Amino acid sequence: MTLLEVQNLHTHFITRDIGNQVQVAKALNSVSFKVDAGEILGLVGETGAGKSLTALSIMGLLRPPAEIVDGSIRFEGEDIVAMQRDELNRIRGAAIAMVGQNPRGALDPLTRIGEQIARVARAHDPQLSNDKATSMAVESMERVGIADPLRRAQAWPHELSGGMAQRVLIAMALINGPRLLIADEPTTGLDVTVQAQILDLLRALVQELNMGAMIITHDLGVVAQYCNRTAVMYAGRIVEEGGTRSVFGDPRHPYTKALIGSTPEKLDFTLDAEVGGGPPNLYALPPGCHYIDRCPKAAAQCNSMPPNLALSATHHALCHFAAGDQARAS
Amino acid sequence: MSPGDSILDVQNLSKFFPGGRGTTIHAVNDVSFAIRPGEILGMVGESGSGKSTIGRAIVGLAHATSGQIIFRGQDITGLPEKKFRGLRKDLQIVFQDPWGALNPRLKVRTIVEEPLRLHTQMNATDRRRRVEELAQLVRLNAGLLTRYPNELSGGQLQRVCIARALATNPELIVLDEPTSSLDLSVRAGILRLLLELRTETSIAMLFISHDLGTVRLISDRIVVIYLGRIVEQGPTEQVFKAPAHPYTQALLSAHLPPDPAIDQGRHILEGEIPSSVTLPEGCFFAGRCPVAVEACSHQRPTMVTLDGDHQAACLRISEGANSIGDAPILGGPKQVSAQSNTASGRTP
């Protein structure tokens, strides 16, 4: 069942420069993807690719000058871009929940954690008694593997380690029984041994509760080991999307290939090929493929918009040459 | 190894910080290791394990509480700043965050030139030539020398930091997480540069990182550190292929290979690194160790030599019971215990 369907989403930063000229940074350019119940989609890319902005667009958390200029975001069939604020408030924090990076910074330092989790329940159900909300909070803490939750509910955020704070945020996200969970860099800043604990927890919860989840990360290891499907972002576009095994086993977009090739495990210093340069200027994107300036295979036709070539029913790549070298020759 | 063979000898180094309310943070506890000329030594550990403090102590940015740091046969522990300054041309450091490590009001050229002004008698023409040579060495476009740091990308800035560290032809560079704040594709370029520099200049490096993939790629030998103590050290491939200490085994198995085809049996540790304020009496890892026995919690293990240079500090090695391979794989939402998780040690 499709939970979330994002279609042709364009999010731009619209500002005026010193000469009062309108400046548009095209941060998201026709982003389309979907998330099904019971699966984890990994959204991967480098800094500035638009990963977090995609999450903020979905959650309706964009602040000016960022705005959605085109496209639709459907959650269970309803377009949430068109929704009024109070309608959206009923959904976010309840049916769609988000876990951010920097868990310690996401907690209110002056409120005990049990109370913070309970607040999220009360915000969506004003009739809820304090006692009931508190017992829900404790239950949610237990579900994310916090031992002795009754006592821990009385703890202050500064008493928590990074991994424990991330568990608290996941407990908070789960309290209203979300059907979709968006995790933005959930393990960045956590140690490897703790990272594995948190990701195992997320995966178990997705299976147990049949949720859909989207993990945003720059770590290919997280995607490779925990996500069913992978979407690779570059300069505000999804350049390749497919089953994780398919994308890692047979990457077709030159950027995906370069990204996988730059992981320490795959780095081959005997090769000359290396992703040089940086992402393009979002204020002046190239007309065709955004990767044209860094791509070793770039040709004349790359100045026109590349097609989203289907390589199988589920694997697509946004490249003129994604079908392979035969297609290029013919 | 006799001290003469190594460029740097760290012996029984400890560094404690006051932790407030009369407590003490034991950041580094009795650490001994050596670096040979031209060698890249990788230092791996999780946050709070004291690896950065060790790096800072070596270059004189932190003063050792006890122990000795011997550089080229000379004891440099606790050397007063005035005397240390003369050594800095041979002993350099590159920090994790290149944005914070460079003066935003100086042009790149001036930044790279600064160590030459401080440590050499070169005249302006020679310095200019040397700066251009360095730019070439770190593959930095010479046109960027006239720019300010804010005009450069993270990867370019890290190249500037490396150029600055190399300016005076040091014999040892401490690289404290030099690639952690950089994107994957940029990181690859920096790693390639470091490997090329080693063949071109034969500089010894201490490469501090929490990223196992990177450390494996770049280091000749590695040191694994947990709660400010070395738990294992040895040639990189030996440690990666046959990790002896249970912590090393768990650390390696928690690493996520960026390839879905690799499905390694993982051993998830319970809990997190304990507080460095009150150190455990016995083995520091005993509280999280799947193969710990009674003795582990009151007896400090000493380094056991396994094979040539490969050493590990675990009591259970002598009985051959140090492998966590047969221990149950922990994890999952219900099983994960959180007993030791509050107020995990945070060293400054």
Side-chain angles (χ1 to χ4, degrees), chain A residues 45-48 104 142-148 151-152 155 158-164 167 189-197 199-201 203-205 208 218-222 224-226 244-246 248-249 255 258-275 277 294, chain B residues 45-48 51 153 159 180-193 195-196 210-215 217 247 250-264 266-273 288 329-346:
Chain A
E46 296 181 288
T47 315
R104 279 211 196 88
E142 191 170 16
R143 194 193 288 151
V144 298
I146 298 177
D148 198 1
R151 188 175 60 84
R152 283 299 173 82
H158 74 265
E159 296 175 303
L160 306 176
S161 64
M164 193 49 65
R167 281 177 199 272
L190 299 182
D191 286 318
V192 273
T193 53
V194 182
Q195 161 171 291
Q197 295 171 7
L199 291 170
D200 280 348
L201 168 68
R203 178 160 62 191
L205 288 168
E208 188 185 304
H218 64 272
D219 185 338
L220 289 176
V222 171
Q225 300 297 323
Y226 287 92
T244 298
R245 276 174 185 271
S246 180
F248 279 79
Y255 179 66
L259 205 57
I260 294 172
S262 320
T263 55
E265 283 78 0
K266 292 279 166 68
L267 260 184
D268 184 351
F269 288 116
T270 58
L271 295 178
D272 252 357
E274 198 166 276
V275 210
R294 297 168 80 181
Chain B
E46 297 181 278
S47 53
K51 43 189 202 311
S153 69
R159 283 170 200 268
S180 323
S181 58
L182 304 176
D183 269 325
L184 207 51
S185 55
V186 181
R187 187 180 299 182
I190 297 288
L191 291 176
R192 176 196 285 259
L193 171 68
L195 284 173
E196 284 170 354
H210 65 275
D211 183 39
L212 293 164
T214 310
V215 170
L217 185 77
Y247 175 66
L251 191 67
L252 296 188
S253 82
H255 175 63
L256 304 173
D259 185 348
I262 302 174
D263 188 19
Q264 54 184 33
R266 291 193 297 106
H267 306 283
I268 305 295
L269 289 177
E270 291 191 12
E272 292 176 40
I273 190 163
R288 295 172 78 190
I329 294 178
L330 304 164
K334 294 278 148 55
Q335 293 157 289
V336 180
S337 136
Q339 227 74 60
S340 60
N341 280 11
T342 29
S344 98
R346 267 172 275 151

Side-chain angles (χ1 to χ4, degrees), chain B residues 2-45:
Chain B
S2 73
D5 298 340
S6 45
I7 181 153
L8 183 85
D9 244 300
V10 174
Q11 290 169 0
N12 310 100
L13 177 73
S14 292
K15 173 70 187 171
F16 305 151
F17 293 100
R21 292 184 205 158
T23 59
T24 305
I25 293 162
H26 304 83
V28 180
N29 302 290
D30 197 14
V31 161
S32 303
F33 65 93
I35 301 177
R36 295 162 198 164
E39 177 185 56
I40 302 185
L41 179 71
M43 183 170 277
V44 211

Side-chain angles (χ1 to χ4, degrees), chain A residues 72-202:
Chain A
S72 69
I73 301 169
R74 290 182 180 280
F75 177 69
E76 296 181 329
E78 277 187 275
D79 190 352
I80 56 180
V81 176
M83 267 180 200
Q84 293 300 313
R85 198 178 178 81
D86 53 342
E87 259 181 297
L88 187 59
N89 281 349
R90 266 199 296 278
I91 293 180
R92 56 181 180 188
I96 310 178
M98 182 160 158
V99 177
Q101 73 192 97
N102 184 13
R104 279 211 196 88
L107 293 167
D108 174 358
L110 299 179
T111 309
R112 294 181 195 270
I113 58 169
E115 166 61 15
Q116 290 193 51
I117 300 172
R119 266 183 197 169
V120 180
R122 285 203 304 269
H124 287 270
D125 184 1
Q127 253 79 75
L128 208 61
S129 72
N130 281 354
D131 285 354
K132 176 78 176 108
T134 306
S135 72
M136 279 170 72
V138 171
E139 212 173 284
S140 194
M141 286 169 72
E142 191 170 16
R143 194 193 288 151
V144 298
I146 298 177
D148 198 1
L150 210 55
R151 188 175 60 84
R152 283 299 173 82
Q154 298 302 311
W156 298 98
H158 74 265
E159 296 175 303
L160 306 176
S161 64
M164 193 49 65
Q166 193 59 282
R167 281 177 199 272
V168 168
L169 286 196
I170 296 173
M172 197 183 280
L174 291 178
I175 194 161
N176 290 320
R179 299 187 284 285
L180 176 70
L181 184 67
I182 298 174
D184 187 0
E185 305 270 9
T187 57
T188 308
L190 299 182
D191 286 318
V192 273
T193 53
V194 182
Q195 161 171 291
Q197 295 171 7
I198 295 292
L199 291 170
D200 280 348
L201 168 68
L202 277 179

